[in-house]
């Protein structure tokens, strides 16, 4: 059987590359993967400092287990260009920072210590996508996703490109690695499991012809079984295990699939034959300080935020293939995914284009099995038409995946339509104009086509979590207006707005401080008011939402007061009290937002509001005449407490070569009724003891009354004790267990 060895610890990191690193192991900074080659401050840094060539070294000790086996090293993600050397011999180059790659090192191994050196070029090289032009995001650098070693037989299962369809069939292909380039006949058993229960077994015979990789088509008919479909409400998953029983080549590899049909049509999007309006946001995979180098738990948490906190049904992986952990979580929770090749506006020369076509190939080969992925983006985000290039990217996608449709994100009206779905960024809404353009104006085609809007808002109205109330109010309204317009268009498949989380960027973009404040969440994953425009579009049976878009103060808006007042809710109506007096009973603004199932309550004015003596407030939400939720506001807002919370009570220590683990800790300044104090930008000191390391600075100021940081586990199995110190309070403590 195969053996999998985690290979994330004891890497010797050299920020400055030297050819000497190819020759011998040089002890230096000992790091655990995921790793960023140049950690960045949150703001006002010089991104050129990340354009470095660095080196990572490790030792692979020859083990008895390697005897008569093949040893294959896997890298899930290295930004951006890597060269890998084993015992001084270069055996691999990879030209993409977002796709996984592997290398068979068997023939280069010797007894004793074997040196592996990875030269990591993070210089934004013009010959490698997404680089060559300027880009509104950073690609950082380093071995930022996990590494592992597979020890397998001469013939092994390399890849299972399998997926289930709603007619209960499994389609795809199996690829064997025929390391010794044999000609032989291998029988692979394919077993389908529902949890631990084996429900089906069939066989594929593969005639090896002496090539390194050999493929066989797979079609498993499961019509006689009680197969449950995968969908966003009940994302049922199955496991397919491929087993080679032959004594000489015993092997086993598994993949998780779901059975579903996803189809973009002229009449909208259909999941398992049922129409579904796609509503989502774009996600960059970057985090403060460590950029892309965040492990499994942080990746999965992002998916949870999108699905559970924001009630979205789709995410666009802008603008590159993302972590398998993120995608795994999307599969598990039923969050649909639009995944695309790396790029941003720029198309390079022939070589560059070849690499880009290769990226489409690698993205599909590695992520094919994810039921959550419903479309492949095969155009460079917002690039101009490029007939021959895009003919190729479409052809590669279609030859590898006969089931999923292609899209490709453009921003020019009337751009050539080579894909299956016309996907466009529509930044038409500017606060005054309509929410979106008409499909025909955009496509300039004389018929309707499968159509989706892949971005809106974003740079049209950057908003910081600490912006004042009028700004937040307009930010929310813009999101409402656009999603409302989209919902009114009965032919559109849906949208992914720009964007989920604020992100670090190049100097040409964003607010100059290297942040694009385009998220409905800030860079620490804390919500702005606009987040509740999405969160409130959920069934109250799942979650009752009542978010009042105000700080309830007299003078944060021009002239004063908090009107017009926007309330994101899925309640039938609300009651608003000023002190003890009920000022208004108000219903969702169905007139203004006719497309939305849960329009916001919009209170334009309240008679004689200006004349009232200032009071605290209460807002109650009612469903079927019953009060189901209450929100309170202080009359006199006074700092009362620092709320300290962690996303997880327990994380894992680093052991046996595993990656490090993490969780996020949030510090929030609140008043006596628990409301965030948006202008409380107090300085806090973060003190950390035990088995963890703080990511980022230990003296920071709250931003908009809130700040989050991540802690990173180490090999020490001690609880992590975190103390927050601030002038106006006694110290606050929280402990995270380490297992
Ligand atoms: C789009 C682009 C995104 C982001 C966004 C900001 O043009 O595709 O990557 O830059 O603008 O609104």
């Amino acid at each position: 059987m195969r053996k999998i060895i985690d290979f994330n610890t004891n890497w010797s990191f050299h920020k400055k590359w030297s050819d000497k690193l190819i020759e011998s192991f040089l002890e230096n900074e000992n790091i655990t993967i995921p790793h960023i080659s140049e950690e960045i401050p949150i703001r006002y840094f010089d991104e050129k400092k990340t354009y470095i060539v660095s080196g990572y070294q490790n030792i692979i000790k020859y083990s008895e287990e390697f005897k008569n086996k093949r040893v294959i090293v896997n890298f899930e993600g290295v930004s951006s260009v890597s060269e890998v050397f084993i015992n001084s011999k270069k055996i691999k180059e990879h030209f993409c920072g977002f796709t996984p790659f592997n290398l068979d090192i068997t023939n280069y191994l010797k007894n004793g210590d074997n040196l592996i050196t990875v030269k990591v070029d993070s210089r934004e090289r013009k010959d490698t996508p997404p680089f060559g032009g300027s880009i509104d995001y950073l690609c950082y650098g380093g071995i930022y996703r996990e590494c592992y070693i597979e020890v397998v037989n001469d013939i092994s299962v390399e890849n299972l490109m399998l997926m289930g369809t709603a007619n209960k069939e499994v389609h795809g292909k199996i690829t064997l690695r025929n390391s010794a380039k044999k000609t032989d006949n291998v029988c692979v058993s394919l077993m389908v499991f529902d949890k631990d229960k084996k429900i089906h077994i069939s066989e594929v015979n593969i005639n090896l012809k002496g090539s390194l990789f050999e493929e066989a088509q797979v079609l498993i008919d499961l019509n006689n079984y009680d197969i449950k479909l995968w969908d966003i409400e009940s994302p049922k998953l199955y496991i397919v295990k491929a087993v080679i029983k032959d004594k000489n080549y015993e092997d086993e590899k598994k993949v998780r699939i779901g059975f579903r049909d996803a189809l973009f049509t002229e009449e909208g999007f259909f999941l398992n034959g049922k129409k579904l309006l796609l509503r989502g946001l774009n996600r960059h995979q970057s985090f403060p300080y460590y950029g892309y180098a965040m492990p499994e738990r942080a990746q999965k948490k992002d998916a949870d935020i999108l699905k559970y906190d924001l009630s979205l049904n789709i995410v666009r992986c802008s603008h590159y293939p993302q972590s398998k952990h993120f995608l795994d979580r999307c599969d598990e929770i039923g969050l649909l995914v639009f995944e695309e090749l790396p790029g941003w506006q720029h198309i390079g020369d022939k070589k560059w284009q070849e690499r880009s076509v290769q990226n489409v190939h690698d993205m599909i080969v590695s992520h094919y099995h994810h039921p959550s992925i419903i479309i492949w983006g095969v155009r460079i985000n917002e690039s101009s038409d490029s007939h021959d290039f895009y003919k190729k990217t479409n052809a590669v996608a279609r030859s590898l995946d006969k089931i999923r449709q292609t899209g490709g994100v453009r921003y020019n009206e009337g751009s050539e339509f080579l894909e299956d779905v016309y996907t466009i960024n529509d930044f038409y809404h500017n606060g005054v104009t309509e929410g979106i353009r008409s499909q025909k104006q955009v496509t300039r085609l004389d018929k309707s086509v499968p159509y989706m809007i892949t971005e809106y808002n974003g740079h049209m109205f950057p908003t910081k979590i600490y912006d004042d109330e009028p700004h937040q109010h307009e930010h929310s309204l813009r999101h409402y207006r656009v999603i409302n317009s989209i919902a009114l268009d009965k032919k559109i498949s849906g949208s992914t707005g720009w964007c989920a989380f604020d992100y670090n960027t190049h100097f040409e973009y964003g607010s100059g401080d290297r942040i694009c404040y385009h998220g409905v969440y800030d860079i620490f994953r804390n919500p702005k008011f606009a987040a509740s425009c999405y969160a409130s579009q959920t069934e109250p049976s799942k979650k009752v939402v009542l978010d009042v878009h105000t700080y309830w103060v007299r003078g944060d808006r021009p002239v004063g007061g908090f009107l017009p007042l926007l309330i994101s809710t899925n309640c039938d109506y609300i009651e608003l009290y000023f002190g003890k007096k009920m000022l208004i009973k108000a219903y969702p603004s169905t007139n203004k937002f006719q497309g939305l199932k849960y329009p916001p309550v919009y209170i334009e004015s309240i008679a004689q509001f200006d004349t009232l003596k200032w009071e605290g407030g209460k807002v109650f939400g009612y469903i079927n005449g019953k009060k189901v939720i209450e929100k309170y506001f202080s009359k006199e807002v006074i700092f009362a407490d620092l709320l300290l919370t962690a996303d997880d009570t327990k994380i894992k220590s680093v052991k046996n070569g595993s990656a490090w683990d993490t969780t996020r800790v949030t510090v929030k300044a609140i008043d006596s009724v628990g409301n965030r104090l948006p202008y409380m930008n107090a300085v806090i000191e973060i003190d950390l003891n035990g088995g963890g390391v703080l990511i980022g600075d230990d003296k920071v100021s709250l931003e908009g009354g809130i700040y989050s940081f991540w802690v990173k586990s180490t090999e020490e199995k001690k609880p992590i004790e975190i103390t927050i110190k601030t002038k106006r309070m006694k110290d606050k403590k929280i402990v995270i267990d380490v297992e």
Side-chain angles (χ1 to χ4, degrees):
M1 282 297 161
R2 68 174 48 215
K3 183 160 189 202
I4 297 184
I5 304 165
D6 285 332
F7 191 42
N8 299 299
T9 51
N10 291 320
W11 287 85
S12 172
F13 173 63
H14 304 259
K15 198 170 269 182
K16 199 167 172 334
W17 172 258
S18 144
D19 285 343
K20 285 191 194 121
L21 300 174
I22 302 174
E23 300 309 325
S24 55
F25 185 80
L26 300 172
E27 217 148 298
N28 209 36
E29 195 188 339
N30 181 305
I31 64 101
T32 303
I33 281 158
H35 185 253
I36 183 169
S37 46
E38 175 71 34
E39 195 179 320
I40 57 162
I42 288 252
R43 294 190 174 84
Y44 294 111
F45 53 85
D46 180 359
E47 62 274 26
K48 291 187 278 307
K49 288 206 168 128
T50 66
Y51 306 170
I52 57 171
V53 184
S54 59
Y56 292 77
Q57 295 183 300
N58 213 328
I59 296 292
I60 300 175
K61 271 203 188 324
Y62 194 86
S63 129
E64 278 305 301
E65 288 176 327
F66 295 176
K67 258 211 180 117
N68 302 320
K69 300 275 175 183
R70 309 301 301 191
V71 181
I72 296 156
V73 183
N74 288 266
F75 292 90
E76 290 286 341
V78 183
S79 189
S80 285
V81 174
S82 4
E83 289 174 52
V84 188
F85 304 81
I86 303 290
N87 291 327
S88 310
K89 244 203 144 68
K90 175 154 133 190
I91 61 169
K92 184 83 184 182
E93 269 182 308
H94 187 73
F95 291 90
C96 178
F98 303 96
T99 50
F101 62 96
N102 65 17
L103 43 142
D104 181 346
I105 62 169
T106 319
N107 296 342
Y108 307 88
L109 291 176
K110 53 183 178 33
N111 276 328
D113 286 355
N114 293 279
L115 172 66
I116 177 168
T117 303
V118 190
K119 179 175 177 182
V120 180
D121 191 346
S122 316
R123 286 177 304 177
E124 306 209 337
R125 286 164 47 157
K126 285 193 171 15
D127 64 352
T128 305
F131 310 117
S134 65
I135 330 173
D136 175 20
Y137 57 92
L138 296 183
C139 294
Y140 311 91
I143 304 183
Y144 75 88
R145 289 186 193 143
E146 295 90 336
C147 308
Y148 59 95
I149 299 173
E150 291 169 294
V151 186
V152 294
N153 283 319
D154 263 354
I155 292 169
S156 59
V157 183
E158 175 75 6
N159 194 23
L160 293 168
M161 265 181 78
L162 300 177
M163 76 185 248
T165 51
N167 62 354
K168 306 184 179 173
E169 289 175 348
V170 181
H171 291 256
K173 68 180 179 196
I174 164 165
T175 306
L176 295 189
R177 180 185 282 263
N178 180 9
S179 299
K181 300 198 177 154
K182 294 195 174 149
T183 50
D184 204 342
N185 206 302
V186 180
C187 173
V188 183
S189 304
L190 292 170
M191 301 170 187
V192 183
F193 287 83
D194 178 357
K195 297 201 183 94
D196 293 334
K197 194 167 148 229
K198 193 192 295 169
I199 57 171
H200 171 87
I201 176 160
S202 55
E203 284 178 351
V204 203
N205 277 304
I206 308 183
N207 230 322
L208 301 182
K209 296 187 197 70
S211 321
L212 178 58
F213 295 109
E214 312 247 7
E215 293 175 356
Q217 294 301 318
V218 171
L219 176 62
I220 309 175
D221 184 349
L222 294 167
N223 265 291
N224 293 331
Y225 301 87
D226 177 28
I227 295 288
K228 303 245 167 7
L229 298 192
W230 182 97
D231 73 19
I232 55 169
E233 296 301 335
S234 45
K236 173 75 185 161
L237 294 168
Y238 293 83
I239 303 276
V240 182
K241 227 187 234 178
V243 181
I244 308 179
K245 287 233 175 76
D246 185 314
K247 263 209 315 297
N248 301 316
Y249 319 127
E250 271 193 333
D251 194 25
E252 190 178 296
K253 189 164 185 150
K254 58 184 179 189
V255 79
R256 210 167 52 167
I257 63 160
F259 294 83
R260 92 291 179 279
D261 279 349
L263 194 66
F264 292 82
T265 76
E266 301 78 53
E267 301 300 323
F269 174 77
F270 293 79
L271 186 64
N272 301 330
K274 255 177 62 194
K275 194 163 175 182
L276 174 70
L277 178 67
L278 299 172
R279 182 172 291 134
L281 293 168
N282 284 263
R283 179 221 184 208
H284 269 304
Q285 64 175 7
S286 54
F287 289 80
Y289 303 105
Y290 275 15
Y292 289 168
M294 290 295 276
E296 180 171 350
R297 198 186 295 269
Q299 303 292 338
K300 291 190 162 171
K301 177 72 187 172
D302 269 6
D304 283 355
I305 292 173
L306 300 170
K307 168 89 184 182
Y308 297 118
D309 295 353
L310 285 168
S311 297
L312 303 177
N313 55 27
I314 187 167
V315 55
R316 173 169 168 232
C317 294
S318 52
H319 301 296
Y320 36 75
Q322 300 198 357
S323 150
K324 66 175 183 193
H325 302 304
F326 180 73
L327 298 171
D328 278 346
R329 190 67 187 150
C330 292
D331 290 347
E332 286 162 11
I333 63 181
L335 180 64
L336 301 167
V337 176
F338 181 128
E339 190 167 55
E340 67 191 6
L341 76 176
W344 206 81
Q345 295 190 349
H346 165 82
I347 300 175
D349 61 11
K350 213 167 137 248
K351 183 109 234 132
W352 189 102
Q353 291 178 28
E354 276 166 22
R355 288 183 177 150
S356 183
V357 173
Q358 182 68 41
N359 291 343
V360 173
H361 172 276
D362 295 353
M363 166 176 80
I364 296 177
V365 167
S366 48
H367 293 162
Y368 181 86
H369 63 279
H370 290 287
S372 56
I373 299 178
I374 53 166
I375 184 170
W376 301 118
V378 300
R379 291 170 72 110
I380 300 299
N381 172 63
E382 294 190 333
S383 55
S384 306
D385 285 345
S386 180
H387 181 82
D388 294 346
F389 176 36
Y390 290 140
K391 270 273 203 220
K392 278 189 208 144
T393 55
N394 272 286
V396 167
R398 287 176 180 140
S399 73
L400 287 167
D401 190 338
K402 307 259 181 304
I403 295 170
R404 286 186 186 88
Q405 291 164 297
T406 61
V409 174
R410 65 204 83 223
Y411 62 171
N412 293 327
E413 284 183 10
S415 97
E416 193 186 10
F417 183 37
L418 297 170
E419 296 75 30
D420 303 317
V421 188
Y422 203 102
T423 50
I424 180 133
N425 294 345
D426 186 344
F427 289 105
Y428 187 62
H429 182 60
N430 63 7
V432 181
T433 40
E434 293 294 303
I436 56 170
R437 286 171 287 176
S438 76
Q439 177 185 145
K440 288 212 170 116
Q441 181 188 340
V442 170
T443 63
R444 299 197 187 150
L445 299 169
D446 53 14
K447 55 171 189 193
S448 289
V449 293
Y451 186 78
M452 175 178 176
I453 290 176
T454 33
E455 291 181 36
Y456 53 82
N457 285 353
H459 65 278
M460 300 300 287
F461 203 72
T463 300
K464 302 172 186 72
I465 196 170
Y466 43 84
D467 276 334
D468 62 13
E469 221 176 274
H471 198 100
Q472 303 279 348
H473 176 79
E474 175 62 14
H475 188 222
S476 299
L477 273 179
R478 286 179 183 225
H479 278 275
Y480 269 129
R481 288 187 200 118
V482 179
I483 59 172
N484 180 59
S485 296
I486 290 168
L488 284 171
D489 180 334
K490 294 301 167 213
K491 287 188 182 295
I492 200 167
S493 289
S495 60
T496 47
W498 195 263
C499 62
F501 312 116
D502 292 348
Y503 55 97
N504 282 126
T505 189
H506 290 85
F507 72 92
E508 295 101 319
Y509 304 96
S511 296
D513 56 355
R514 307 301 190 278
I515 295 183
C516 266
Y517 295 93
H518 298 169
V520 297
Y521 276 58
D522 73 1
I523 199 167
F524 305 103
R525 278 68 174 153
N526 288 316
K528 305 172 191 173
F529 280 148
S532 28
C533 310
Y534 296 90
S536 57
Q537 302 308 307
T538 191
E539 299 306 315
S541 57
K542 286 190 189 155
K543 188 169 67 176
V544 178
V545 179
L546 176 69
D547 284 335
V548 190
H549 297 218
T550 179
Y551 301 129
W552 202 276
V553 289
R554 188 142 237 176
D556 202 37
R557 299 194 184 199
V559 187
F562 49 66
L563 299 173
L565 179 63
L566 199 56
I567 301 176
S568 292
T569 186
N570 49 9
C571 291
D572 297 340
Y573 63 89
I574 63 100
E575 287 174 355
L576 184 142
Y577 290 77
F578 200 62
K580 291 206 171 85
K581 190 175 162 173
M582 190 176 92
L583 286 190
I584 193 164
K585 175 174 173 181
Y587 290 83
S589 186
T590 36
N591 266 345
K592 237 179 148 93
F593 301 96
Q594 291 186 4
L596 297 180
K597 183 150 186 207
Y598 297 109
V601 171
Y602 189 78
I603 304 171
E604 198 110 37
S605 59
I606 296 172
Q608 298 190 317
F609 182 62
D610 298 348
T611 59
L612 298 173
K613 212 167 119 248
W614 190 254
E615 288 286 356
K618 290 186 283 205
V619 181
F620 298 156
Y622 292 83
I623 295 178
N624 297 330
K626 246 181 79 191
K627 184 164 47 153
V628 285
I629 189 166
E630 316 174 349
K631 289 280 149 108
Y632 292 87
F633 296 93
S634 303
K635 177 175 177 184
E636 299 171 45
V637 186
I638 294 170
F639 170 53
D641 202 358
L642 268 190
L643 206 64
L644 188 55
T645 52
D647 288 350
D648 304 274
T649 49
K650 197 189 267 180
I651 61 172
K652 291 188 183 125
S653 64
V654 174
K655 57 173 176 294
N656 304 329
S658 75
W660 50 273
D661 193 7
T662 190
T663 190
R664 179 180 63 151
V665 177
T666 299
V667 187
K668 183 155 106 176
I670 54 169
D671 66 4
S672 56
V673 290
N675 290 329
R676 174 168 65 88
L677 304 176
Y679 306 122
M680 174 94 183
N681 294 335
V683 171
I684 57 166
E685 269 184 64
I686 308 164
D687 194 26
L688 202 139
N689 278 301
V693 171
L694 170 70
I695 298 178
D697 301 326
D698 59 359
K699 287 185 195 64
V700 294
S701 67
L702 303 181
E703 302 192 3
I706 192 163
Y707 181 85
S708 294
F709 55 90
W710 281 260
V711 293
K712 162 178 175 176
S713 68
T714 63
E715 285 179 352
E716 243 186 299
K717 241 175 79 184
K718 274 199 202 144
I720 307 169
E721 288 172 18
I722 299 164
T723 310
I724 304 294
K725 295 176 197 269
T726 189
K727 277 241 162 93
R728 288 173 59 185
M729 287 242 67
K730 277 211 301 230
D731 293 357
K732 293 297 233 184
K733 280 193 200 307
I734 194 167
V735 178
I736 295 156
D737 275 342
V738 176
E739 60 180 350

